[in-house]
Amino acid sequence: PDRKTGHHLALGGVKNVSLNLTISNTGDDAYDTNIYFNFSREVFYINFWQRQEKGISCGLVDLDFLKCSVGFPFMRAQTKYHFAVIFDTSQLSGENETLQFLVQAKSANPEHKLSDNTLDFSIPLVHETDTTITGVVTPSSFVYGNSIDASRFVQLDDMECNFQPLNLTFQAINKGPSRLPGSTVDIRIPNRLAGSGADMFHIIETQVADGRGNCTPHRNPTPCTIPQDRDSIFHSIFAFFTKSGRKVLDCDRPGRACMTISCSLGPQLKEEALSIDIKLLLNTEILKRDSSSVIQFVTRGSVQVSDRAVEVPNGLPDDLSLVFEALHSQEPRGYVVGWIIAISLLVGILIFLLLAVLLWKMGFFRRRYREIIEAEKNRKDSEESWDWMEKNH
């Protein structure tokens, strides 16, 4: 017999498969010719179809064994028969990677060449699924700065840094229609303020629910990095007054240094979700050196199915973004406050002296005392003269 097969069988999508067969007799008339089918007990025989009425009949010998009689009582010499056998595959579990059919043709006549009388139909099985991913981050925002009480943060042993704890939770969901044999979730977290800066995050724990997967380990050898303050005092003061705007750290932007956590997940039934919990610490000492008032972290997550699965077309999104924000308290460091007060006093004194000089130049402080005394004397003399005239009259 000759065979015709497809590339693969998508579980959950295709319910029936058809084995298209051509059996030919190149010798003499063959008496009592039969074709036998062995297949999995998860597959059920439905019916057969023949292109022309050639006297073919099929019947089950057992649940996994089918016998088809061809041209009973005999198959004519130099003839070909074309027919198809249809099976129901809706009950396939997908535990095996292939669906196998063993087909063998036999007759009561003695055969001279038996190598072409047997076929092995092996159809690769793939699972048709619709996977999606959801997630949440807590807290969604936090405040940092020198004025924030250190008790609101986490301190590690023998380390001076204040760390902000964060919890990331992702859920990979299989919406079906078939079982998902496995998947990979990639999580990308922006890990540096600048390309050559220090790593900000320290992973405490990464866990897949019920131990049904594992994630790549990540270790930050220097979780407590305090950047050296190399800026001048004037630059620090300028940075304080100009601390505004929003900085966005997004792993989808080119040149951004990100940390990638890959988690391999086990099988999932239809409508089943698997959770990934990530506990991490953010070094706020690095954030304090940035000039932005708001730093926005955009974390990306995506899910990819294994080679034994295919996504349904136009399905649910298989990626997402989680956003959390670091808000600066907008209060300067202590020495900056001192310098602001000192500079303000100095500027005030300079302005006072400038006004004094201007007033002196304008003659505000030049009083003409002699002219004032003479004018006062003339006024008194005039009044006395006026009084004498009134007495004489």
Side-chain angles (χ1 to χ4, degrees), residues 19-189:
L19 300 185
N20 302 314
L21 301 170
T22 297
I23 182 171
S24 59
N25 179 17
T26 58
D28 299 332
D29 293 347
Y31 176 72
D32 192 17
T33 303
N34 296 290
I35 300 178
Y36 302 96
F37 298 83
N38 285 94
F39 46 87
S40 169
R41 284 183 175 263
E42 295 180 348
V43 174
F44 300 95
Y45 166 69
I46 297 178
N47 206 341
F48 74 96
W49 172 86
Q50 52 184 326
R51 184 178 299 177
Q52 296 176 352
E53 187 63 39
K54 295 288 187 178
I56 298 176
S57 61
C58 295
L60 282 172
V61 178
D62 202 347
L63 290 177
D64 57 356
F65 189 71
L66 176 69
K67 175 184 176 182
C68 291
S69 176
V70 181
F72 185 81
F74 56 84
M75 182 179 179
R76 297 280 185 183
Q78 307 300 320
T79 58
K80 288 185 178 181
Y81 289 0
H82 304 279
F83 71 104
V85 184
I86 304 171
F87 295 91
D88 177 12
T89 63
S90 60
Q91 301 301 315
L92 283 173
S93 65
E95 293 184 359
N96 297 320
E97 295 186 4
T98 59
L99 174 61
Q100 189 175 37
F101 293 91
L102 296 177
V103 183
Q104 186 177 27
K106 287 185 178 180
S107 71
N109 296 29
E111 292 279 354
H112 299 287
K113 184 180 180 182
L114 299 178
S115 60
D116 60 348
N117 281 22
T118 303
L119 285 179
D120 182 356
F121 286 91
S122 294
I123 306 174
L125 297 180
V126 294
H127 299 257
E128 191 174 47
T129 62
D130 187 6
T131 56
T132 187
I133 185 171
T134 62
V136 64
V137 55
T138 53
S140 59
S141 64
F142 65 92
V143 180
Y144 69 95
N146 293 282
S147 63
I148 305 301
D149 189 356
S151 62
R152 297 179 57 180
F153 301 99
V154 173
Q155 286 82 31
L156 299 179
D157 294 339
D158 301 326
M159 294 187 184
E160 301 178 2
C161 297
N162 290 329
F163 295 94
Q164 171 64 42
L166 294 164
N167 292 330
L168 301 176
T169 300
F170 294 87
Q171 275 197 333
I173 307 172
N174 174 29
K175 290 293 186 178
S178 177
R179 170 180 171 270
L180 178 62
S183 61
T184 301
V185 174
D186 289 329
I187 300 165
R188 294 177 295 150
I189 305 173

Side-chain angles (χ1 to χ4, degrees), residues 372-390:
I372 294 174
I373 293 173
E374 291 180 355
E376 183 67 20
K377 183 179 180 181
N378 293 334
R379 185 181 65 80
K380 288 182 179 181
D381 292 343
S382 176
E383 289 178 354
E384 291 177 355
S385 299
W386 183 258
D387 291 339
W388 180 80
M389 290 179 65
E390 286 183 347

Side-chain angles (χ1 to χ4, degrees), residues 193-210:
L193 285 177
S196 59
D199 292 344
M200 294 182 288
F201 287 99
H202 177 53
I203 303 296
I204 299 298
E205 182 183 14
T206 303
Q207 186 176 17
V208 180
D210 302 325

